[in-house]
Amino acid sequence: MTSEESTYFHIGIRLSFPPAIISGILIGMISLFWVQSLYHSLLLGAGTASTVFILVYLFALQLLKKRLEQLHDTILQTPSRFTNVNGPPDNVATDEIQRILNAAEWCKATITHELKKMDETDNYRKEFIGDISHELKTPIFSVQGYLETLQDGALEDPKVNRVFLAKAMKNVNRLIFLTNDLLEISRLETGELKPDLSVIPLNNLIHDAIDALQYKAEQRNVTLIFEEKETNAFALADRNQIRQVLVNLIENSIKYNKTDGKVHISTRYHENDRSKIVVSVRDTGIGIDPEDVKRVTERFFRVDKSRSREQGGTGLGLSIVKHILESHGEQLVIESNPGSGSIFRFTLKSADYHSDLISAWP
Ligand SMILES: Nc1ncnc2c1ncn2[C@@H]1O[C@H](COP(=O)(O)OP(=O)(O)O)[C@@H](O)[C@H]1O
Ligand SMILES: [Mg+2]
């Protein structure tokens, strides 16, 4: 960003005035004694003042103008990662120095903003590392405990060795889930995992997610019901990512449901906007307190840590859902009644306006 060449050099004019006036008056007064003519003294004073004015102006122009412009441009080159750099408004400056002062004010504000953002990122990173090490510690120490007990003699005891090995294995699986989810969330947060948009038949995808989770639902006596209201809903989205959103939401609705509970999954066009398809996952589960609803999409937040861990939860599922939907320009809406159930709802862009792609669907 470079400053525009201005026709006037305001500071030059301001600098030239005082010496021009003073020298004009002095020369005029001295010459009055000398030539004894007011007219000639005034003429001489005015001539001196004009000459001094021009000389000082040219001198200042030569010496200062370019450097002041360079200083202004250098200040405006303050690097910024977080702020939208537009620079200060130049039209409020009365002269070059004021322009530089405005630029310096803007630079100060930019740096303060950058430092604040960096502090926030730093705290966030520290918190994330703290959370990760805490989450990793629990399964690692469990595995260590089981292996040590087996090593100390339990291996010979057929009653416990299989049980301990199975428990150690369960914790190793937890570590695998956790590392996979961590990898996923960091790729989503750094923007590395951008959605790969294509036309996806939503109903197929929902059936697919339901099939993958049917065994889990049966284990807990939960019934999965797909209300196929829109038989031909096509969305423009990333197939794998939306599959993951569905799996995470349906899995939660099974995990945090009651025995003999139900999960209703449905798709419908938005009442006021047919370019959107609303997908909802409703359960008859334990529900979430209003205070916790705000927090469930935070990383590692779990209402009941032990229940989540018991079911192999990592506390990252909803956080991943939120990131995926945000990268699609959509949002997750949660409504919940503690004790009677929850609804997780989100919208997707309908692919109706991309009929060429739909007709090409095999
Ligand atoms: N359908 C649901 N019903 C009740 N609570 C839920 C539901 N879905 C999520 N939660 C709460 O939100 C928390 C965060 O969910 P999630 O990020 O998927 O982590 P995880 O399932 O691994 O614990 C869960 O631990 C649970 O307390
Ligand atoms: Mg989950």
Side-chain angles (χ1 to χ4, degrees), residues 51-344:
T51 315
V52 170
F53 184 90
I54 291 166
L55 285 177
V56 176
Y57 180 84
L58 289 177
F59 185 68
L61 185 76
Q62 186 67 24
L63 197 72
L64 293 177
K65 190 166 190 260
K66 226 176 179 64
R67 292 197 206 177
L68 290 180
E69 268 165 12
Q70 274 173 358
L71 180 59
H72 178 258
D73 290 349
T74 310
I75 295 174
L76 288 197
Q77 279 159 17
T78 308
S80 154
R81 274 191 303 165
F82 306 107
T83 334
N84 184 14
V85 200
N86 278 327
D90 271 350
N91 54 358
V92 293
T94 47
D95 60 40
E96 290 77 8
I97 300 282
Q98 190 57 52
R99 224 173 138 226
I100 289 170
L101 281 175
N102 292 350
E105 277 298 332
W106 166 84
C107 171
K108 183 179 145 196
T110 306
I111 291 174
T112 313
H113 186 257
E114 298 291 306
L115 287 176
K116 197 170 154 241
K117 278 279 179 193
M118 275 163 74
D119 275 352
E120 278 169 19
T121 319
D122 200 32
N123 287 341
Y124 175 78
R125 207 169 284 150
K126 278 185 202 147
E127 223 173 81
F128 190 35
I129 291 170
D131 284 341
I132 294 172
S133 33
H134 182 74
E135 292 297 323
L136 288 174
K137 252 190 238 159
T138 321
I140 288 174
F141 286 157
S142 299
V143 172
Q144 189 188 33
Y146 290 123
L147 292 183
E148 268 174 8
T149 322
L150 285 169
Q151 207 175 28
D152 291 347
L155 196 58
E156 320 305 333
D157 184 344
K159 272 192 209 133
V160 292
N161 59 10
R162 285 195 167 274
V163 179
F164 277 25
L165 274 177
K167 288 191 171 170
M169 199 59 202
K170 193 174 170 192
N171 279 287
V172 170
N173 283 336
R174 244 176 75 71
L175 280 171
I176 295 171
F177 290 144
L178 190 61
T179 40
N180 284 343
D181 278 0
L182 281 172
L183 201 66
E184 177 96 13
I185 203 147
S186 75
R187 288 172 71 204
L188 279 165
E189 283 182 358
T190 52
E192 201 186 307
L193 216 62
K194 292 243 167 11
D196 179 11
L197 301 186
S198 67
V199 172
I200 55 172
L202 258 183
N203 292 357
N204 281 10
L205 203 62
I206 294 174
H207 277 300
D208 189 27
I210 291 178
D211 288 348
L213 292 164
Q214 197 65 52
Y215 78 99
K216 261 197 182 160
E218 280 165 16
Q219 273 176 354
R220 288 174 175 76
N221 247 346
V222 170
T223 317
L224 302 181
I225 304 153
F226 180 22
E227 297 162 1
E228 252 177 278
K229 287 180 194 152
E230 302 295 343
T231 46
N232 237 347
F234 283 86
L236 192 66
D238 182 309
R239 190 189 165 87
N240 291 335
Q241 291 191 348
I242 298 305
R243 187 183 186 277
Q244 185 165 12
V245 166
L246 289 165
V247 167
N248 286 6
L249 294 181
I250 301 172
E251 192 175 22
N252 278 350
S253 297
I254 300 170
K255 286 197 309 194
Y256 305 107
N257 217 316
K258 297 167 187 158
T259 327
D260 295 328
K262 288 188 173 57
V263 178
H264 293 260
I265 303 117
S266 72
T267 49
R268 63 175 165 81
Y269 282 98
H270 197 286
E271 308 87 69
N272 308 323
D273 182 1
R274 268 192 75 85
S275 69
K276 295 259 172 177
I277 304 170
V278 185
V279 182
S280 47
V281 178
R282 176 165 57 91
D283 66 57
T284 54
I286 54 174
I288 309 164
D289 276 340
E291 274 309 298
D292 293 329
V293 167
K294 294 178 209 146
R295 303 199 56 198
V296 284
T297 52
E298 281 175 25
R299 268 199 226 129
F300 298 116
F301 180 84
R302 282 161 286 191
V303 177
D304 181 345
K305 262 201 168 141
S306 57
R307 179 169 179 154
S308 159
R309 283 216 181 99
E310 184 55 35
Q311 321 237 18
T314 59
L316 291 171
L318 287 182
S319 197
I320 290 174
V321 167
K322 181 179 152 230
H323 279 292
I324 291 179
L325 292 177
E326 278 174 3
S327 71
H328 279 76
E330 308 293 343
Q331 272 184 349
L332 178 69
V333 178
I334 309 171
E335 283 170 31
S336 191
N337 279 320
S340 57
S342 322
I343 308 178
F344 290 76

